[in-house]
Amino acid sequence: MLFSGIPFLYYFLPIVLILYFLAPKKLKNGVLLAFSLVFYAWGEPIYVILMVISILQGYLFGLLIGRDKEKRPRRAKLWMWCSVVFSLGMLGYFKYADFFLSNFNAATGLSLPLLRVALPIGISFYTFQILSYVIDVYRGDVAPQKNPITLGAYIAMFPQLIAGPIVRYSDVERELRERKHTLADMAYGVRRFVLGLGKKVLIANSLGELCAAFGTATDPSTLFFWLNAVAYSLQIYFDFSGYSDMAIGLGRFFGFHFMENFNYPYISKSITEFWRRWHISLGVWFRDYLYIPLGGNRVSKPRWFFNLFVVWFATGFWHGAAWNFILWGLYFAVFLVIEKFWLLPWLQKKEGLDFLRHLYVLSLVLVSFVIFNAPDFATVGTQLGGLLGIGAGHDATEAIYYAKSYAGILVTAVVGATPLPKKVVSWVEKTKVGSRILTVAEPVFLGLLLLVVTAYLVDGSFNPFLYFRF
């Protein structure tokens, strides 16, 4: 079930909210868990069993770790590793088994049959949440949750189940026990959800249509290659950040405060800064559960290089079972190392050359998403060659046509990817007259935006969600 779908917007969500707020305080987590399982089963009726099993193993191993941590630490460590191996084993089987088999066949010349197992939606996200919970219990950062419904509500919570942000148990532990529901939070939730919905449906989907047009071009010009790269980079940002906005807004409906997942990454002046602004919850997860345990930067330089490349190999591989994702992760590792040992002091200077710094980041990011979006290495080569004019067509008529046709949405996306709209609203809000106008204008705008989005959803069928495949 998609957040940006009629069934969710006008059937599922209203029913959930009515029953949730009618339920007594003690039953709210149970209601949330029950509807989260329904939400997941809507698209994955079989794999909801897999998620329930994953939740139960995390719950049981958490209890065992808590029981043995003080008196039998070795046994507690064993329980922790059992849970980690189980979680990663399930993720490895469903997401990576065919990748390893196909590469083994290619390397050995054998023809072992592929498993062709369907990828359970959201398994990468909820697996990481279970891992963080079990590891935090072992570290003593949180107490083991004794109520399986409460833990289940945390792991399966539908607002962030499918594509994050990756929420750590320690961040919502208190709210799982005791949370407040206020009109201010509901108003914020509505605002955040509707704006995220607009970003997804009106901007990301329109940019996706432009990318689809490029995919059907028989002899795209260099201009069309660049237009596609720009469109896809903006599409994936508005698609994923729009989903995160909706997740954060939905969380507020139920009294939860999820962390921000994006902070205008395209205004960054270095790749280091870009990754502090893009998919923040994933970056924090890998920092706390892989980079720091490996030793972080408090080791020798060769070991530091190793740590960085392991983390970015894992980051790329987490996104998908294909070599282009691994290349994408290692691509960023190379530039992060270059920045840390040479470029960063210049990139962090406050005075002058901001344009060159932004151009440096945007150029590298555009190329990275060309790699990210390619289905195989051959396509990576074709796409990168096309950006340089190698193998590209000479007639730019088609590219110019689409550039003109999508000029409005491209400009809107570029401006919307900066803090400018937020700054304008903030400036207007600070004035007495502007504040009064916004009090009336905001709900009207949100209502009209929801109406327009609904019309698009009813009328159109192009409504993909890019991060479903991860």
Side-chain angles (χ1 to χ4, degrees), residues 155-284:
I155 295 169
M157 196 182 306
F158 75 86
Q160 46 79 55
L161 171 62
I162 301 300
I166 300 171
V167 179
R168 291 167 60 169
Y169 179 78
S170 57
D171 293 334
V172 295
E173 180 184 17
R174 181 185 58 81
E175 291 175 336
L176 284 165
R177 294 194 316 267
E178 185 77 29
R179 56 187 180 272
K180 295 180 180 179
H181 303 87
T182 65
L183 287 176
D185 271 347
M186 285 296 293
Y188 179 85
V190 169
R191 183 189 313 122
R192 197 69 185 268
F193 179 84
V194 174
L195 289 175
L197 184 64
K199 288 167 68 173
K200 167 70 181 85
V201 175
L202 302 182
I203 300 179
N205 286 3
S206 297
L207 292 167
E209 291 174 354
L210 174 54
C211 293
F214 172 81
T216 61
T218 55
D219 191 23
S221 63
T222 300
L223 177 61
F224 211 167
F225 276 102
W226 278 103
L227 183 62
N228 175 67
V230 171
Y232 182 76
S233 297
L234 290 168
Q235 181 198 3
I236 196 169
Y237 169 70
F238 281 97
D239 190 90
F240 194 20
S241 69
Y243 190 99
S244 294
D245 287 341
M246 288 187 276
I248 291 168
L250 288 171
R252 288 294 183 94
F253 291 171
F254 302 103
F256 293 96
H257 294 70
F258 300 152
M259 72 180 298
E260 293 293 337
N261 215 18
F262 290 86
N263 183 23
Y264 303 108
Y266 290 148
I267 68 168
S268 302
K269 298 176 184 177
S270 67
I271 296 300
T272 302
E273 182 184 357
F274 176 84
W275 275 103
R276 289 175 182 156
R277 293 174 175 271
W278 180 280
H279 205 342
I280 299 168
S281 63
L282 181 67
V284 171

